[in-house]
Amino acid sequence: MDDTPIHEQNTPRQASVSAVRERDEDLLAELGYKQELTRNWSLVHNFGVSFSIISVITGITTLFEYGLTTGGPGVMSVGWIVVCFFTMFVALGMAEIVSAVPTSGGPYFWAAILAPPGQAAFWSWITGWFNFLGQVAVTTGISFGNAGLISTTATINTSYKPTAAKTIGIYAALLASHVLVNCFGVKLLRYFNDQSIVLHSIGVSCFAIAVLAKAPTHQSAKFVFATFYDGTGVDGVGWSMRASPAYVAVCGILMAQYTVTGYDASAHLSEETNNASWNAPLGVLMSVGVSGVFGFFLILSLLFSIQDFPNTVSSSVGQPVTQILIDVFGNKGAIALMTLIIVCVWHCGLFSLTSNSRMMFAFARDHGLPPFFDNVNQQFASPIRTICLAAILAFLLAIPSLGSSVAFSAATSIATIGLYISYGLPIFIGLIHPSSFRKGPFNLRAASRPVALIAVMWITFITIVFCLPELNPVNSQTLNYTPVAVGIVATWAFGSWVLWARRWFTGPIRQIEEERMGIPVGDPAKLAEAEEIMKDRKVGVVDVQ
């Protein structure tokens, strides 16, 4: 008979959860890492973080003006379907990889695992820096967009006059709130996550239904699905006249593609997720699929409820969604619903910073960033240093908004390109080196390579498109500085590799094996020497499989 007090005995469920966590930690150890982060997230929580970061109400609301003026309703509605279709191929490719390699590092770790041993460090370095860029830019796009929504809402029935400087100040306050919760309220993140899931599902559904039900009149299906509008010309001559309507249409899908971004969070949180080999890939797929459905419903509800298209496009409040809500609900109703949107976007920004900091922590752990950032605060169980780094860089990326009319859309383009390149590189490597890809429980089998090919082609397409000029004519105020930012990171990544990083960066570090060998993990010189020894013994990162 077991003499252990009843309150101390494990129930079958507790024993099962304990066994799952033990298997997860064993797999992480096989991949070369110790369990440092707290592993207590379920599939729902893992899905919820990616779902919150995708946050259809965030992307659609903050880029609704861009969508209306860059192609109009037809491009927004049909473009959403096209983008979600091709994005699912990217998500499938990522899900198959994260099932095999469930670590916080995400894409840069996948690149190292899937590449041949001699190329592992190079591809890991390049992928890591593009993911780094995208993570910073997506945090900027979310929270800076929220600052703009707050500024716009504050003008309703008040004498408040928004300026670029005031918006930057609001943005700084939002980032500060996200830093505080992420640093000192890790245990609260699960509860914020639960709130976010409810807000982004039930809340967004109720919002969309209310708008449709209350709208005095509704636009026709032809308006919603077939109306093309070109507002890309500063002087009235848009790109449809200077180039072609197709040019405007492909630029206009930025709203949809930026919105359906950030689902790599399920991978970055895999070291905190139970049964990660299944739950992390399912989190990726569920977040994209569910967001696609909710987003389409939200777009249709807003487009069908437009009362006066010209007035909505050139709204005096400066935000088409706000104008739609004013026309439908009046000023007080619009303020109430805009508050709901702002709260949803705040949650989105919170978890974007969570995901961002986890990626940076993992990259620092593998010496992609200075070792100073390889730190988890023991008291609060959070990587405080990378949380602060992520927030500071996100703030700096928004500074050009003080003098640029396209700064926000450029930030969203940078986020989209940076993240999708980092998604695409591991998928591409797995496509051309299938022998290095040992599949996990989630396995596409015969469909694996066709899916990967379509994903890579789509990512190549959007990378080119989102670097194109958005407004005509192109000048210092309308320049799309996306190619500049992406070019700087690309130059840094490739240049630093050639000049110095290739001499010491060895790709993902296997902490456990190093500690068993008595190697000081924080000493780059000793680490590089040990890695060379391991290479001589034909032990490479692929062997952790």
Side-chain angles (χ1 to χ4, degrees):
M1 180 176 178
D2 189 355
D3 294 327
T4 305
I6 292 178
H7 70 278
E8 293 182 7
Q9 294 181 17
N10 286 331
T11 65
R13 175 176 173 77
Q14 288 173 327
S16 175
V17 171
S18 177
V20 168
R21 287 181 180 173
E22 187 174 342
R23 287 199 302 270
D24 286 329
E25 292 180 15
D26 288 344
L27 175 57
L28 189 61
E30 289 177 18
L31 292 170
Y33 296 106
K34 297 183 297 183
Q35 184 70 50
E36 295 183 87
L37 299 168
T38 303
R39 191 182 289 272
N40 59 1
W41 295 67
S42 65
L43 168 60
V44 173
H45 292 113
N46 184 282
F47 151 77
V49 173
S50 284
F51 184 56
S52 297
I53 294 175
I54 292 176
S55 181
V56 293
I57 201 164
T58 297
I60 291 172
T61 303
T62 55
L63 280 178
F64 202 79
E65 180 180 11
Y66 177 89
L68 286 180
T69 57
T70 314
V75 172
M76 295 170 73
S77 56
V78 177
W80 182 269
I81 298 172
V82 173
V83 165
C84 287
F85 175 78
F86 285 105
T87 299
M88 186 55 74
F89 285 92
V90 181
L92 283 166
M94 287 175 59
E96 189 176 42
I97 296 173
V98 73
S99 178
V101 194
T103 68
S104 292
Y108 84 86
F109 192 99
W110 306 339
I113 291 292
L114 297 175
Q119 302 174 24
F122 168 75
W123 286 115
S124 178
W125 180 261
I126 300 301
T127 305
W129 279 106
F130 275 110
N131 193 239
F132 184 94
L133 169 69
Q135 289 277 345
V136 171
V138 80
T139 300
T140 301
I142 293 166
S143 293
F144 186 64
N146 201 16
L149 294 178
I150 293 172
S151 285
T152 299
T153 305
T155 64
I156 303 176
N157 277 345
T158 70
S159 59
Y160 177 81
K161 300 294 183 184
T163 64
K166 290 177 181 177
T167 303
I168 283 286
I170 297 171
Y171 175 51
L174 289 172
L175 284 177
S177 68
H178 296 152
V179 168
L180 289 173
V181 175
N182 272 287
C183 285
F184 309 116
V186 172
K187 294 181 179 179
L188 297 176
L189 285 177
R190 290 180 63 189
Y191 301 103
F192 279 118
N193 192 8
D194 293 338
Q195 291 176 17
S196 184
I197 294 172
V198 172
L199 286 169
H200 283 92
S201 53
I202 298 175
V204 171
S205 297
C206 292
F207 173 92
I209 292 170
V211 172
L212 279 173
K214 182 67 175 175
T217 61
H218 294 100
Q219 297 288 345
S220 66
K222 181 180 179 180
F223 170 84
V224 172
F225 292 102
T227 299
F228 177 83
Y229 179 79
D230 180 11
T232 61
V234 174
D235 298 321
V237 180
W239 281 111
S240 63
M241 298 175 66
R242 184 175 175 181
S244 73
Y247 179 95
V248 178
V250 295
C251 289
I253 65 171
L254 172 63
M255 184 199 78
Q257 193 66 76
Y258 165 69
T259 300
V260 192
T261 300
Y263 44 89
D264 57 321
S266 290
H268 294 305
L269 291 168
S270 58
E271 290 183 31
E272 297 164 78
T273 302
N274 293 317
N275 198 15
S277 292
W278 268 112
N279 288 342
L282 290 178
V284 170
L285 295 175
M286 287 172 58
S287 62
V288 173
V290 174
S291 295
V293 174
F294 275 96
F296 188 59
F297 182 41
L298 179 61
I299 288 174
L300 294 186
S301 70
L302 291 171
L303 291 178
F304 272 114
S305 301
I306 291 175
Q307 301 302 299
D308 183 338
F309 184 72
N311 184 55
T312 301
V313 172
S314 57
S315 171
S316 59
V317 296
Q319 222 293 336
V321 172
T322 306
Q323 187 61 54
I324 293 171
L325 298 180
I326 291 174
D327 292 341
V328 173
F329 296 98
N331 289 336
K332 292 183 178 179
I335 292 173
L337 289 178
M338 284 302 296
T339 301
L340 170 64
I341 294 174
I342 289 166
V343 172
C344 286
V345 181
W346 183 87
H347 281 79
C348 177
L350 174 70
F351 288 108
S352 176
L353 193 66
T354 305
S355 174
N356 196 341
S357 64
R358 276 17 176 215
M359 180 273 162
M360 292 183 179
F361 161 72
F363 203 33
R365 181 176 62 184
D366 290 328
H367 294 175
L369 292 175
F372 173 79
F373 295 106
D374 175 16
N375 178 270
V376 175
N377 183 279
Q378 297 302 311
Q379 180 179 357
F380 298 105
S382 64
I384 290 178
R385 295 175 185 177
T386 53
I387 290 169
C388 294
L389 174 64
I392 291 170
L393 293 177
F395 179 79
L396 293 176
L397 191 58
I399 295 299
S401 67
L402 294 171
S404 172
S405 60
V406 296
F408 177 69
S409 60
T412 59
S413 294
I414 294 167
T416 306
I417 291 173
L419 286 179
Y420 272 94
I421 288 178
S422 72
Y423 300 168
L425 286 175
I427 297 174
F428 175 70
I429 295 168
L431 176 66
I432 61 176
H433 296 291
S435 60
S436 299
F437 193 174
R438 298 185 183 180
K439 308 295 178 65
F442 183 86
N443 189 340
L444 296 176
R445 303 187 186 282
S448 180
R449 300 194 75 193
V451 165
L453 179 61
I454 295 171
V456 170
M457 291 174 65
W458 178 251
I459 291 170
T460 302
F461 170 72
I462 63 173
T463 298
I464 296 170
V465 166
F466 297 152
C467 285
L468 299 174
E470 300 164 358
L471 296 180
N472 180 53
V474 179
N475 53 43
S476 60
Q477 296 297 308
T478 63
L479 176 69
N480 179 3
Y481 65 87
T482 300
V484 177
V486 174
I488 289 172
V489 170
T491 301
W492 161 260
F494 285 97
S496 60
W497 175 260
V498 171
L499 294 176
W500 65 80
R502 62 187 175 87
R503 299 172 187 169
W504 52 265
F505 183 74
T506 56
I509 295 166
R510 292 159 300 156
Q511 293 177 334
I512 293 174
E513 184 171 345
E514 289 161 0
E515 291 190 352
R516 286 173 180 166
M517 295 172 63
I519 301 167
V521 177
D523 189 333
K526 299 273 187 178
L527 182 63
E529 181 182 349
E531 288 287 342
E532 287 301 321
I533 293 173
M534 286 189 276
K535 286 179 183 177
D536 292 340
R537 295 175 182 173
K538 298 183 180 179
V539 178
V541 286
V542 291
D543 294 299
V544 300
Q545 293 280 21

